[in-house]
Amino acid sequence: MPATPFPAAVLSAAFPDLSGFGYIKSGTFKAVHRVTTKAGHDEVLKIIRVPQDSGTDAARAFRDQELGRVKRETNLLADLDSPFVVKLGMIPPSMMDLAGETCVVYTEELLPGRDLEAVIADRIQPSEAEINLLLGSLVQGIQALWIRHKTVHRDIKPANIFATGFPDRPYVLLDFGIAYNVDEPGLTVNPSHIPHTPLYMAPEMLDSNFRESLSYRADLYAAGVTVFEFATGGIHPLAKPHDSLAKTYTRVLNQEPTRLASLRPDLSKPLSSLIDQLMKKNPALRPGNLTLILNQLK
Amino acid sequence: MQLLAQHGYGNGDKIERGLEEDLLDGVIFGAKDISPDKLVSTLERLEENQPNSVRLFDPQFYASLIAAQPGARLGYLVGEGSHPYFEARRRRDLERDEQVVEDIINVLNHQLALPVTALIAPNIVIRRSFDSIEGTIAKTFLRCAANEVEIDDGRPLYATLAVSATALSDKIEMQNFLQEITELENPPDGFYLLLEKPDSSIISPLTEPDVLSRWMLMSHTLKLNGFQIINGYTDALSPYLAAAGSDAVATGWYNTQKCFSLKKFEPVSDFARRPVPRYMSAALLKSIRYTELHDLRDLFPEVMNDLPQDNSYDPDEGSAPDSPTSEALQNWEGIKAMSMHAEEGDVYASLKNCRGALDDAEEIYARIQEFGLTMRDRSSAAHINAIREELDAFEELAEL
């Protein structure tokens, strides 16, 4: 259930240097508002409600998990220097009390354009050049995350990609809330719970031992699925409408994805083959040399 | 795809003739069977006479774990006038990264001074499983191969990846291993892939389940991850490895150069008989005894390759090859013909060609059998269904 947005009056009082507070969307714990800084910059204000510590061990552990995720996300964004990843805004992360609730708040840049989910909903089949641009942007974002930070985004999907229209950063990755650093201890309280979006998750994520071998190739898989959907105007390579969750998982694990060339025969064979290859079940079969991929897309 | 000579004992003039007659694209010299001085002079001669040839040196460092065994057959790897980088090693020595790095440096610095066209980094054979101490040591060799020595003359570096058929049996561990080595931070330019057949049988692994398919998968996976691939000791399996994307295959003249095994370094447990000369029939996808060739050639001329080296198997001489060199040249010629037919540019088309060739071979064998001619086990059609199954298994593993 989405979090209830805070009233504008509460937000105005809490953030006297900001104005606007136009509501954008909510998640379970997160509310997102459009704001304008005193300097006149438009940014996105993120307000994350911290779960209450009711005194039990479970409640405390859950609160620590959520706080840890926010801290990890914001530290990562502060350190990442890639045009293909969203940047933090003027207000750094801090804890504050809003109407009696403890929250973590910070701002990110406001990107022009719209998210890729909305673009795909237009049901227009993009050109090969546009597909190259999307895939190239995603691969560069994945590369930035992995090379310096050994981090896997784990939630690449159309809703977490913004189409900006900027020539030097046409697509930008958002929402690093479940990003996972393979060199650091996991934050998830229940180890059998794997944060994910089923339609885009790599098959190896369904293995309870996935943390042993998880790498950027899981992100490449999700990028492949996303680009496939974009290229076909909204057709998922595996899932059918109205599939149950169990059916989706079965398809992710066992079913061969639709070949892109069967739906877009106009695309060049190298590009179709590359996108198909990114969706292989076996991670080793997804091309691991990101520089080679980027060279191919040039 | 290139065909290289897998050098070994008793070269004579085989390699030079093979290069002169365009049957070979190059050679992989084996350290055990050539002295350092002879290696240098031979490489220099090839560089002068065959400047476009591929010239490689297999340091055979994988024998270091056998070197301490009494009676180990190490040739020019040890003793006076031996290759200077080679020393006996125990497994516990190689569990230390420092020792692995030292050995890599010694092997590569030795090769830097040779007129080879690429360098081959050392490694051990993963004999038991990928998920073993051997597997960890092998990964250390791979991880460090490209880090330790600067090759500033543009020559590529191939890392040795030697795996036994036994280790291939664990599919999950193999896939995990491949994932890891295709995510190396500083990878080599390519891999020199060797499949070890641990037992001493002279029969090559044509009929064992899950061996060829997994060897093909390793080649295919590494290739699509951007690596150059040389498969050593491939012999009659060359077309299938070519189909899986191998850039070069290699085979020699004795059985020990057609099928890789550490047995050739181990103390002698039995004495091998001199093998009966054979003829590599591209149509049958297999080599047959010269006596079988003699029986078949008039009734079934299609078993002949109709290539120049056929002239060395004179029917008036019982179809025996006129020299060991001719036999070696004919073997390369037959393998080259088979491999060129198989390779088609992409893996799907190549597999289709391989299947077509198997169907054609099966038909010939059926007609031979109808005629009432029996062939010995090693020449029989047993490989055809076995390879078909392996091609199916490879397709499934590669998610084609």
Side-chain angles (χ1 to χ4, degrees), chain A:
Chain A
M1 189 163 173
T4 311
F6 288 101
V10 169
L11 295 176
S12 294
F15 303 101
D17 290 340
L18 299 177
S19 62
F21 302 105
Y23 173 73
I24 297 177
K25 65 178 180 181
S26 290
T28 309
F29 295 107
K30 191 188 295 185
V32 182
H33 296 260
R34 179 186 177 134
V35 296
T36 305
T37 67
K38 233 178 182 177
H41 299 124
D42 288 333
E43 294 194 347
V44 168
L45 174 66
K46 291 198 164 180
I47 304 169
I48 299 114
R49 285 176 161 86
V50 177
Q52 298 228 348
D53 180 356
S54 60
T56 65
D57 287 346
R60 204 168 298 122
F62 185 64
R63 178 188 163 97
D64 289 346
Q65 170 188 286
E66 294 307 302
L67 272 174
R69 285 213 172 119
V70 174
K71 187 177 172 188
R72 183 174 60 189
E73 178 178 5
T74 50
N75 284 347
L76 183 64
L77 289 179
D79 210 30
L80 271 171
D81 183 22
S82 165
F84 304 100
V85 168
V86 68
K87 298 188 190 312
L88 287 176
M90 304 290 293
I91 297 181
S94 60
M95 291 244 291
M96 67 190 323
D97 186 288
L98 284 175
E101 293 190 66
T102 308
C103 299
V104 174
V105 299
Y106 62 95
T107 57
E108 286 177 358
E109 60 175 326
L110 176 69
L111 294 163
R114 50 189 184 140
D115 68 42
L116 193 65
E117 199 169 48
V119 173
I120 290 172
D122 290 344
R123 296 279 183 262
I124 294 170
Q125 289 192 341
S127 67
E128 176 148 344
E130 199 59 34
I131 297 168
N132 269 358
L133 216 48
L134 171 60
L135 184 54
S137 300
L138 293 179
V139 171
Q140 288 183 82
I142 291 168
Q143 191 178 45
L145 274 171
W146 182 258
I147 298 296
R148 270 194 60 198
H149 299 277
K150 287 290 181 283
T151 294
V152 184
H153 185 286
R154 291 204 297 177
D155 205 16
I156 292 179
K157 58 186 179 184
N160 286 340
I161 298 164
F162 223 75
T164 67
F166 288 143
D168 57 341
R169 51 182 321 217
Y171 296 94
V172 177
L173 269 175
L174 314 173
D175 199 346
F176 292 73
I178 61 170
Y180 179 74
N181 184 316
V182 300
D183 287 342
E184 286 179 6
L187 289 170
T188 308
V189 172
N190 178 359
S192 63
H193 171 66
I194 304 165
H196 67 284
T197 303
L199 286 175
Y200 303 92
M201 73 181 301
E204 62 269 24
M205 298 271 293
L206 283 165
D207 184 334
S208 55
N209 289 326
F210 76 89
R211 292 173 182 86
E212 281 286 312
S213 57
L214 185 68
S215 76
Y216 61 95
R217 277 165 145 145
D219 280 346
L220 286 178
Y221 176 93
V225 173
T226 298
V227 174
F228 186 104
E229 271 194 311
F230 176 63
T232 57
I235 299 173
H236 193 278
L238 283 168
K240 301 282 178 276
H242 314 303
D243 267 347
S244 66
L245 194 58
K247 190 76 179 181
T248 299
Y249 288 140
T250 304
R251 292 190 197 277
V252 167
L253 278 175
N254 301 313
Q255 184 174 304
E256 192 188 322
T258 306
R259 288 187 196 272
L260 183 55
S262 67
L263 296 173
R264 287 291 307 265
D266 57 303
L267 296 176
S268 67
K269 194 171 173 196
L271 179 61
S272 293
S273 298
L274 173 60
I275 294 167
D276 288 343
Q277 206 69 36
L278 293 176
M279 296 189 288
K280 295 295 183 194
K281 309 290 185 205
N282 176 358
L285 290 170
R286 301 170 207 151
N289 189 323
L290 300 178
T291 305
L292 265 186
I293 296 176
L294 291 170
N295 286 344
Q296 182 185 326
L297 294 173
K298 275 185 193 157

Side-chain angles (χ1 to χ4, degrees), chain B residues 100-120:
Chain B
V100 168
V101 167
E102 184 186 314
D103 286 327
I104 288 171
I105 290 172
N106 289 341
V107 167
L108 293 183
N109 277 339
H110 179 75
Q111 288 179 62
L112 273 174
L114 298 172
V116 289
T117 53
L119 279 63
I120 296 180

Side-chain angles (χ1 to χ4, degrees), chain A residues 150 213 215-217 259 269 277 280-288 292, chain B residues 175 178-179 182-183 185 217 220-221 224-226 346 348 397-400:
Chain A
K150 287 290 181 283
S213 57
S215 76
Y216 61 95
R217 277 165 145 145
R259 288 187 196 272
K269 194 171 173 196
Q277 206 69 36
K280 295 295 183 194
K281 309 290 185 205
N282 176 358
L285 290 170
R286 301 170 207 151
L292 265 186
Chain B
Q175 289 174 338
L178 285 172
Q179 181 184 344
T182 51
E183 291 174 8
E185 282 185 17
L217 178 71
H220 173 72
T221 302
L224 62 84
N225 275 280
D346 81 26
Y348 300 94
L397 287 168
E399 300 178 39
L400 296 174

Side-chain angles (χ1 to χ4, degrees), chain B residues 124-316:
Chain B
I124 64 169
V125 178
I126 303 172
R127 296 191 98 177
R128 276 169 291 213
S129 106
F130 288 100
D131 184 27
S132 66
I133 293 177
E134 289 168 338
T136 304
I137 292 172
K139 269 191 282 190
T140 305
F141 271 104
L142 295 174
R143 201 165 37 246
C144 298
N147 288 345
E148 305 305 331
V149 171
E150 197 177 330
I151 307 171
D152 54 12
D153 56 13
R155 285 184 286 179
L157 174 68
Y158 290 86
T160 300
L161 176 54
V163 181
S164 79
T166 307
L168 288 180
S169 63
D170 189 334
K171 184 179 85 166
I172 302 296
E173 287 303 331
M174 177 189 66
Q175 289 174 338
N176 287 344
F177 185 90
L178 285 172
Q179 181 184 344
E180 234 183 293
I181 67 170
T182 51
E183 291 174 8
L184 294 173
E185 282 185 17
N186 191 15
D189 299 295
F191 287 89
Y192 173 48
L193 269 180
L194 303 173
L195 173 69
E196 199 219 2
K197 188 161 172 14
D199 69 45
S200 58
S201 165
I202 60 171
I203 308 295
S204 64
L206 290 179
T207 57
E208 293 163 0
D210 295 335
V211 174
L212 175 59
S213 57
R214 293 184 184 185
W215 195 8
M216 288 171 72
L217 178 71
M218 290 183 66
S219 268
H220 173 72
T221 302
L222 292 170
K223 182 68 184 173
L224 62 84
N225 275 280
F227 295 103
Q228 295 292 302
I229 305 300
I230 300 172
N231 276 291
Y233 301 85
T234 53
D235 202 56
L237 298 181
S238 297
Y240 317 109
L241 291 158
S246 187
D247 295 288
V249 293
T251 188
W253 43 94
Y254 290 142
N255 288 323
T256 51
Q257 293 145 257
K258 295 181 179 182
C259 183
F260 175 63
S261 174
L262 289 178
K263 288 284 178 187
K264 72 176 179 186
F265 300 98
E266 291 173 356
V268 174
S269 55
D270 54 42
F271 290 92
R273 290 170 297 143
R274 186 177 169 78
V276 173
R278 302 182 75 86
Y279 175 90
M280 178 58 77
S281 168
L284 296 179
L285 299 169
K286 205 173 207 182
S287 68
I288 58 178
R289 285 184 166 207
Y290 77 93
T291 48
E292 291 166 327
L293 174 68
H294 192 67
D295 291 340
L296 290 171
R297 63 190 296 170
D298 288 335
L299 296 165
F300 302 97
E302 58 269 44
V303 301
M304 306 281 300
N305 297 335
D306 199 23
L307 291 168
Q309 296 305 318
D310 287 356
N311 296 330
S312 306
Y313 288 70
D314 188 346
D316 292 339

Side-chain angles (χ1 to χ4, degrees), chain B residues 335-377:
Chain B
I335 285 172
K336 188 168 179 173
M338 285 156 58
S339 303
M340 282 174 62
H341 176 75
E343 202 190 9
E344 182 81 34
D346 81 26
V347 64
Y348 300 94
S350 299
L351 287 176
K352 191 176 173 190
N353 287 352
C354 289
R355 290 197 166 97
L358 287 165
D359 291 343
D360 293 343
E362 187 174 52
E363 200 226 312
I364 298 172
Y365 272 107
R367 287 194 283 112
I368 292 170
Q369 192 177 27
E370 271 174 25
F371 199 82
L373 287 171
T374 323
M375 301 180 77
R376 298 174 76 94
D377 281 350

